[in-house]
Amino acid sequence: MDPHYLTPLFSPRSIVVFAGTTSADEASWPQAAHLLQAIKAQRFQGTLQFVDTQTTGTLADLVQIKADLAIVALPPAEVAAAIELAARMACQAVLVLSSGVGSEQAGAWHKQARREGLHLLGPNCMGFQRPALGLNASTVGTLASVGPLALVSQSGSLTAAMLDWAAKNAVGFSSVVSVGQHSSVGLAEALDFLANDPHTQSILVYMEGIADARRFMSALRSAANAKPVIVLKAGRRLAGNAAAQTHSGAIVGSDEVFNAALRRAGAVRVKSFVEMFSAAKCLASRHRPTGKRLAIVTNGGGPGVLAADWLNEIGMQLGCLSADGAAALKPRLLPLASLVDLIDLSEDATGEHYRAAIDAANRDSGIDGLLVIHSPKVGGDPVAAAQAVADSKPQLSKPLLTCWMGDAAVGAARSVLKDAHIPSFRTPEAGVGAFGNLSSFYENQKLLQQTPAPLSTLAKPDIEGARLVIESVLAERRKVLTEMESKSLLSAFHIPVTETVLARSAHEAMMIGTQLGFPVALKIDSPDITHKSDVQGVALNIMNGTGVRDTYNDMIERVRALRPDARINGITVQQMARTRSGREICIGVVTEAPFGPAIAFGAGGTMIELINDRSMELPPLNAYLAHQLIDRSRVAETLGEWRGASAVDLDALERVLLRVSEMVCELPQLREMDINPIIVDERGAVAVDARIVIDNAPQSVGGRAGAYSHLPILPYPARLEQVWPLPGGGEYTVRPIHTNDAQMLQELVHGLSPESRYFRFVSSMTELPAPMLARFTLIDYDREMALVAVHKERIIGVSRYIINPDQTSCEFSLVVADDFSGKGLGTRLMESIMDVARERGLTEIVGLVLTNNDGMLRLMRSLGFAVKSYPDDPDFRLVTHPL
């Protein structure tokens, strides 16, 4: 596998330092003094050279120095010259430690670095550390100890605080990266590198905001698919949001939408940096919970109850032994032990009692994880209890967390647990919170695996008809749709709506009401009135024609008095929706920077603001995501059998969510939508009212062009699926890869001849390692593409490209099953992947082919590729083709 494009930055073999001097004592620039002290404090494994810009060396002398990375710690006025000199030294990356640099100056340096082909970290950052390399290219303090965690932070001061805390608590790092305001290499780029870094097992992120949502989500999803990613984000509340945006210079956005983005990316969010390290410690264990049920094994009722309370507080569940499990365990415990809810061993419990309880909980299918609590007792032996827990660990198939309460009396016991690599906490609440993070990781990883298409498998919507409605409204320079227009838009996507007819006179309203059947509702119809109830423009449960006539006249008179400027089209008449057993739901769409549109679900009705029940999800949705969105809302508890009412038709509600997802994907002009209320009961769901706000199509998320560019997660590109005939009969399908293809892809690799495997992977491996298999099947369709050829439930070929860092070219790979070689499959897969790359706006496709792979070289020449020698390795040929 080729080195990552940021390897010269984060794993340089040689470094040149521009600090104005070679002595920290003589440095006049603060960053230079701190850098020189830090970088010289330990031995760097590579080559380290210093350029004293205060001397009179000639340019010819300086350009003789060659390095991978240039570190610039100079006043802003001298940085541009240093970047130019770094390029002449054949550097591939630059770290700029100048601080207090504005966006205009930083932009000029970024532009210069791109022109010179340099990857630029900085300015306004505090550098990075790579402890295993002995490299401290930072101003955050002494070099951290070596460990499996990577830290990426948008705050230099918080980075320094975390490192100080970590040093005291024996926490080590593979990398520490500070990315500040206006840095060219930012969060997304650092995540991309760390996802591929073999020395990093978990990634910790402190962030305040992002500039490019699509790029961030792409990198975060890729990283979280490879290893646990734990995120601490500032700005959970409005005041914090404002402060974070001011500090980082990035877009912060709503906390609800940000939570939805993290869930969909498969990451875990924490609320403090102590919790962040605890989560990393727990996620490093080999077991993952399959649910939310945590069993509490304790020798004291009080601590157990505290833990159970906190479980309920964070939305987890208390795991209880089954009747059979409790009956089998009871004889092995003391007489005072209780197995009702908590597994309370009583205060005289010994290590053997702990061992028996842990074994029973591990065997019980109703339990997903264990929290073992020990309170010190007079005459008790906390070390023996801890040793029993440690001895039980190898037999466990579920996550095990512990809490040895107290301090001096349990110090030795905590050491036993630490040596056994069992996460231990000082309070029950901390242990429960850690299990919550484990459970969130498991749930979010399932969300990460979802790759929905923009359109569901339901009947195709009338997209063109919907666009015509939007165009006509925008042509009138309006942004808010009337109720009739809103319901037309919903109907175009087959969302059931109440039959609504516009009446332009009281007599006409009376006739419509009679035809629809009483009772009916009347609502003012005006393009200038957003909230009808604010002008008394809604009347419900009108029982006869006389009531309709009088209500019509009164409503027109009231609205004209309250809003004399408003244009009134008339009054809509609709039959009252069934409500006796129906629940009122609201489904909406919000659009917020930087992520764009998000779908909201919660309780509806007139008290929606007071109830404040809203769960969020990023589009596109599938049935699984729609179901999870409903489950996260508080109103979900009322959708089953509730207070004598039958359970609602959840499938109908999920279908509405899928239709709303289609609207968001296909209508980029959609800005806000509130379908409130939706009445749902056992017979189905119907939209009673809707408010829709539109605008011209937005600038794409991340500035990219193309279909669905307004979405932060690119949908599964189902439109690329094609069916082709096989020579001699039969056919095969070429389509984009998705996560469900993992087993078929592994079978393809198993079935390849040793020679074919070596030609593809330049390795003798017989199967794809689990991380590589996950990496190959869960892809971001914006940054790469993989097309599979499928014949009779078997993958028989794969073509793939990954976009290069220059964002204009891509590198391809191709493999075809041996028994399908010579059937034109390679040509078809290459032409198809080139078409996708061309549509993506790329200008060149390149690849490396082994010199002795004659068949592939012939195919490349037949497709018009130029075949050249590869200077870096004579065993390969470089093949290129303009797009």
Side-chain angles (χ1 to χ4, degrees), residues 636-650:
E637 297 178 11
T638 71
L639 301 180
E641 293 184 1
W642 187 69
R643 294 188 177 180
S646 301
V648 306
D649 184 351
L650 273 178

Side-chain angles (χ1 to χ4, degrees), residues 177-190:
V177 183
S178 166
V179 288
Q181 189 177 8
H182 309 313
S183 179
S184 181
V185 173
L187 279 178
E189 293 75 17

Side-chain angles (χ1 to χ4, degrees), residues 57 277 318 841:
F277 289 109
L318 182 62

Side-chain angles (χ1 to χ4, degrees), residues 501-515 548-549 552 569 571 573:
V501 183
L502 179 64
R504 301 184 184 276
S505 69
H507 178 75
E508 191 176 357
M510 185 173 62
M511 298 296 295
I512 293 169
T514 303
Q515 293 173 9
V548 169
R549 181 194 62 198
Y552 184 101
N569 297 328
I571 290 179
V573 184

Side-chain angles (χ1 to χ4, degrees), residues 688-876:
V688 176
D689 202 355
R691 174 180 178 270
I692 296 178
V693 179
I694 59 173
D695 205 341
N696 293 308
Q699 180 181 357
S700 57
V701 174
R704 292 165 179 77
Y708 312 114
S709 58
H710 61 295
L711 302 177
I713 301 174
L714 200 65
Y716 177 78
R719 60 188 175 79
L720 298 178
E721 184 171 320
Q722 293 180 304
V723 178
W724 299 97
L726 272 171
E731 60 185 24
Y732 63 95
T733 301
V734 174
R735 59 163 174 78
I737 201 166
H738 54 65
T739 53
N740 295 336
D741 291 329
Q743 185 59 39
M744 285 198 296
L745 184 62
Q746 189 72 280
E747 291 170 358
L748 169 67
V749 175
H750 280 156
L752 293 174
S753 66
E755 182 183 53
S756 294
R757 277 198 297 268
Y758 187 80
F759 282 159
R760 169 60 182 91
F761 301 108
V762 196
S763 167
S764 57
M765 64 180 179
T766 58
E767 67 176 18
L768 297 175
M772 185 180 292
L773 186 62
R775 168 71 185 81
F776 281 174
T777 52
L778 178 64
I779 69 172
D780 185 301
Y781 302 106
D782 186 48
R783 64 196 292 180
E784 59 185 301
M785 181 58 69
L787 299 178
V788 292
V790 182
H791 174 66
K792 295 182 178 179
E793 301 300 318
R794 174 191 170 197
I795 291 180
I796 57 176
V798 185
S799 61
R800 182 184 301 267
Y801 75 67
I802 299 178
I803 297 177
N804 290 322
D806 61 15
Q807 298 296 309
T808 62
S809 64
C810 62
E811 183 174 351
F812 78 89
S813 63
L814 174 69
V815 64
V816 175
D818 291 278
D819 54 332
F820 280 83
S821 179
K823 298 181 182 295
L825 203 63
T827 299
R828 175 60 60 199
L829 283 169
M830 280 303 302
E831 289 177 343
S832 296
I833 203 72
M834 290 167 68
D835 286 342
V836 177
R838 195 175 290 115
E839 181 183 302
R840 175 63 174 77
L842 303 176
T843 59
E844 186 180 38
I845 187 167
V846 303
L848 291 175
V849 180
L850 283 166
T851 304
N852 59 341
N853 191 348
D854 297 329
M856 178 68 82
L857 291 174
R858 281 197 302 273
L859 174 62
M860 293 298 102
R861 289 189 176 97
S862 71
L863 292 170
F865 277 74
V867 180
K868 312 170 188 176
S869 60
Y870 184 54
D872 293 349
D873 191 336
D875 289 336
F876 288 89

